[in-house]
Tab-separated table of all heavy atoms in Angstrom:
chain	number	residue	atom	x	y	z
W	1	PRO	N	91.405	107.799	113.281
W	1	PRO	CA	90.825	108.919	112.565
W	1	PRO	C	91.650	109.444	111.411
W	1	PRO	O	92.839	109.411	111.440
W	1	PRO	CB	90.688	110.027	113.675
W	1	PRO	CG	91.894	109.722	114.590
W	1	PRO	CD	92.082	108.230	114.562
W	2	PHE	N	90.970	109.882	110.345
W	2	PHE	CA	91.578	110.431	109.155
W	2	PHE	C	90.742	111.612	108.663
W	2	PHE	O	89.553	111.680	108.895
W	2	PHE	CB	91.634	109.380	108.044
W	2	PHE	CG	92.362	108.141	108.380
W	2	PHE	CD1	91.680	107.012	108.883
W	2	PHE	CD2	93.706	108.045	108.224
W	2	PHE	CE1	92.319	105.847	109.220
W	2	PHE	CE2	94.380	106.879	108.571
W	2	PHE	CZ	93.698	105.765	109.057
W	3	THR	N	91.391	112.545	108.027
W	3	THR	CA	90.697	113.643	107.325
W	3	THR	C	91.298	113.785	105.937
W	3	THR	O	92.508	114.027	105.829
W	3	THR	CB	90.815	114.974	108.133
W	3	THR	OG1	90.249	114.794	109.415
W	3	THR	CG2	90.040	116.077	107.397
W	4	TYR	N	90.455	113.660	104.920
W	4	TYR	CA	90.872	113.857	103.547
W	4	TYR	C	89.761	114.545	102.819
W	4	TYR	O	88.684	114.854	103.410
W	4	TYR	CB	91.200	112.495	102.842
W	4	TYR	CG	92.487	111.888	103.317
W	4	TYR	CD1	92.459	110.881	104.309
W	4	TYR	CD2	93.715	112.338	102.818
W	4	TYR	CE1	93.677	110.321	104.734
W	4	TYR	CE2	94.864	111.761	103.250
W	4	TYR	CZ	94.848	110.782	104.194
W	4	TYR	OH	96.051	110.224	104.634
W	5	CYS	N	89.913	114.831	101.548
W	5	CYS	CA	88.865	115.472	100.729
W	5	CYS	C	88.289	114.478	99.729
W	5	CYS	O	88.962	113.640	99.219
W	5	CYS	CB	89.441	116.666	99.991
W	5	CYS	SG	89.689	118.074	101.036
W	6	THR	N	86.981	114.679	99.506
W	6	THR	CA	86.325	113.905	98.478
W	6	THR	C	86.771	114.439	97.120
W	6	THR	O	87.117	115.652	97.000
W	6	THR	CB	84.805	113.967	98.598
W	6	THR	OG1	84.386	115.303	98.417
W	6	THR	CG2	84.314	113.390	99.893
W	7	HIS	N	86.704	113.612	96.122
W	7	HIS	CA	86.929	114.054	94.756
W	7	HIS	C	85.609	114.146	94.041
W	7	HIS	O	85.377	115.056	93.229
W	7	HIS	CB	87.845	113.042	94.052
W	7	HIS	CG	88.095	113.340	92.604
W	7	HIS	ND1	88.930	114.342	92.195
W	7	HIS	CD2	87.623	112.775	91.509
W	7	HIS	CE1	88.937	114.385	90.904
W	7	HIS	NE2	88.165	113.463	90.449
W	8	ASN	N	84.724	113.188	94.355
W	8	ASN	CA	83.347	113.246	93.815
W	8	ASN	C	82.447	112.537	94.805
W	8	ASN	O	82.863	111.816	95.719
W	8	ASN	CB	83.250	112.611	92.412
W	8	ASN	CG	83.691	111.142	92.343
W	8	ASN	OD1	83.306	110.377	93.200
W	8	ASN	ND2	84.494	110.847	91.364
W	9	LEU	N	81.141	112.753	94.592
W	9	LEU	CA	80.155	112.303	95.564
W	9	LEU	C	78.861	111.985	94.831
W	9	LEU	O	78.504	112.676	93.850
W	9	LEU	CB	79.952	113.422	96.551
W	9	LEU	CG	79.145	113.210	97.848
W	9	LEU	CD1	79.877	112.258	98.757
W	9	LEU	CD2	79.004	114.537	98.548
W	10	SER	N	78.165	110.936	95.300
W	10	SER	CA	76.847	110.665	94.818
W	10	SER	C	75.977	110.299	96.029
W	10	SER	O	76.435	110.282	97.140
W	10	SER	CB	76.833	109.481	93.778
W	10	SER	OG	76.993	108.256	94.473
W	11	LYS	N	74.715	109.993	95.773
W	11	LYS	CA	73.852	109.634	96.884
W	11	LYS	C	74.287	108.289	97.473
W	11	LYS	O	73.998	108.017	98.637
W	11	LYS	CB	72.407	109.470	96.349
W	11	LYS	CG	71.754	110.772	96.001
W	11	LYS	CD	70.377	110.580	95.466
W	11	LYS	CE	69.452	110.195	96.626
W	11	LYS	NZ	68.028	110.308	96.289
W	12	SER	N	74.970	107.453	96.712
W	12	SER	CA	75.326	106.116	97.225
W	12	SER	C	76.808	105.902	97.545
W	12	SER	O	77.175	104.893	98.023
W	12	SER	CB	74.890	105.090	96.200
W	12	SER	OG	75.556	105.285	94.948
W	13	GLY	N	77.675	106.900	97.223
W	13	GLY	CA	79.089	106.705	97.503
W	13	GLY	C	79.940	107.936	97.185
W	13	GLY	O	79.419	108.960	96.786
W	14	ALA	N	81.220	107.742	97.379
W	14	ALA	CA	82.179	108.863	97.147
W	14	ALA	C	83.546	108.289	96.774
W	14	ALA	O	83.860	107.166	97.059
W	14	ALA	CB	82.299	109.707	98.407
W	15	TYR	N	84.324	109.133	96.164
W	15	TYR	CA	85.716	108.841	95.967
W	15	TYR	C	86.509	109.829	96.814
W	15	TYR	O	86.330	111.027	96.750
W	15	TYR	CB	86.136	108.980	94.498
W	15	TYR	CG	87.573	108.614	94.252
W	15	TYR	CD1	87.940	107.279	94.165
W	15	TYR	CD2	88.561	109.566	94.177
W	15	TYR	CE1	89.271	106.912	93.977
W	15	TYR	CE2	89.882	109.191	93.991
W	15	TYR	CZ	90.250	107.881	93.897
W	15	TYR	OH	91.553	107.531	93.695
W	16	ILE	N	87.333	109.301	97.720
W	16	ILE	CA	88.100	110.133	98.648
W	16	ILE	C	89.615	110.061	98.279
W	16	ILE	O	90.155	108.987	98.151
W	16	ILE	CB	87.913	109.638	100.106
W	16	ILE	CG1	86.426	109.626	100.470
W	16	ILE	CG2	88.742	110.464	101.069
W	16	ILE	CD1	86.119	108.917	101.779
W	17	GLU	N	90.152	111.219	98.035
W	17	GLU	CA	91.554	111.319	97.718
W	17	GLU	C	92.380	111.100	98.955
W	17	GLU	O	92.154	111.733	99.946
W	17	GLU	CB	91.892	112.661	97.087
W	17	GLU	CG	91.177	112.889	95.775
W	17	GLU	CD	91.353	114.318	95.260
W	17	GLU	OE1	91.584	115.251	96.046
W	17	GLU	OE2	91.237	114.491	93.993
W	18	THR	N	93.357	110.149	98.885
W	18	THR	CA	94.163	109.880	100.034
W	18	THR	C	95.565	109.328	99.503
W	18	THR	O	95.596	108.728	98.459
W	18	THR	CB	93.538	108.850	100.960
W	18	THR	OG1	94.498	108.461	101.974
W	18	THR	CG2	93.115	107.611	100.264
W	19	ASP	N	96.579	109.654	100.264
W	19	ASP	CA	97.924	109.155	99.900
W	19	ASP	C	98.238	107.856	100.700
W	19	ASP	O	99.358	107.354	100.554
W	19	ASP	CB	98.978	110.196	100.151
W	19	ASP	CG	98.943	110.786	101.538
W	19	ASP	OD1	98.004	110.414	102.361
W	19	ASP	OD2	99.793	111.593	101.900
W	20	LEU	N	97.307	107.377	101.518
W	20	LEU	CA	97.552	106.164	102.311
W	20	LEU	C	96.864	104.998	101.635
W	20	LEU	O	95.774	105.108	101.118
W	20	LEU	CB	97.058	106.341	103.731
W	20	LEU	CG	97.750	107.338	104.580
W	20	LEU	CD1	97.022	107.483	105.939
W	20	LEU	CD2	99.209	106.962	104.794
W	21	PRO	N	97.458	103.813	101.760
W	21	PRO	CA	96.780	102.641	101.211
W	21	PRO	C	95.733	102.123	102.227
W	21	PRO	O	96.004	102.063	103.436
W	21	PRO	CB	97.913	101.624	101.043
W	21	PRO	CG	98.973	102.030	102.074
W	21	PRO	CD	98.817	103.542	102.218
W	22	PHE	N	94.571	101.738	101.743
W	22	PHE	CA	93.573	101.147	102.560
W	22	PHE	C	93.156	99.863	101.946
W	22	PHE	O	93.269	99.665	100.715
W	22	PHE	CB	92.366	102.099	102.711
W	22	PHE	CG	92.620	103.347	103.510
W	22	PHE	CD1	92.959	104.518	102.898
W	22	PHE	CD2	92.550	103.289	104.882
W	22	PHE	CE1	93.187	105.660	103.661
W	22	PHE	CE2	92.787	104.436	105.636
W	22	PHE	CZ	93.085	105.635	105.000
W	23	LEU	N	92.538	98.986	102.721
W	23	LEU	CA	92.050	97.685	102.247
W	23	LEU	C	90.634	97.788	101.856
W	23	LEU	O	89.829	98.439	102.552
W	23	LEU	CB	92.213	96.621	103.284
W	23	LEU	CG	93.661	96.343	103.793
W	23	LEU	CD1	93.634	95.375	104.957
W	23	LEU	CD2	94.511	95.793	102.637
W	24	THR	N	90.236	97.113	100.734
W	24	THR	CA	88.856	97.002	100.355
W	24	THR	C	88.086	96.231	101.410
W	24	THR	O	88.652	95.480	102.158
W	24	THR	CB	88.652	96.369	98.954
W	24	THR	OG1	89.256	95.115	98.973
W	24	THR	CG2	89.286	97.238	97.855
W	25	HIS	N	86.772	96.469	101.438
W	25	HIS	CA	85.822	95.814	102.343
W	25	HIS	C	85.897	96.318	103.773
W	25	HIS	O	85.147	95.857	104.589
W	25	HIS	CB	85.949	94.289	102.289
W	25	HIS	CG	85.877	93.709	100.876
W	25	HIS	ND1	84.765	93.805	100.130
W	25	HIS	CD2	86.836	93.114	100.180
W	25	HIS	CE1	84.992	93.232	98.921
W	25	HIS	NE2	86.232	92.826	98.950
W	26	LYS	N	86.790	97.264	104.052
W	26	LYS	CA	86.844	97.804	105.401
W	26	LYS	C	85.670	98.735	105.614
W	26	LYS	O	85.292	99.512	104.724
W	26	LYS	CB	88.146	98.588	105.640
W	26	LYS	CG	89.368	97.747	105.862
W	26	LYS	CD	89.211	96.903	107.111
W	26	LYS	CE	90.416	97.054	107.975
W	26	LYS	NZ	90.222	96.357	109.255
């Protein structure tokens, strides 16, 4: 589990601000 804040949002996606690295396609 993780909790972060969005930076922006649309009907199809979001940008989530995080200080951790994540892998694409997860």
Side-chain angles (χ1 to χ4, degrees):
F2 302 93
T3 300
Y4 287 99
C5 284
T6 61
H7 178 74
N8 59 46
L9 191 64
S10 78
K11 291 179 72 166
S12 61
Y15 183 80
I16 301 169
E17 295 173 334
T18 173
D19 54 354
L20 294 175
F22 290 97
L23 298 174
T24 57
H25 307 294
K26 284 296 230 175

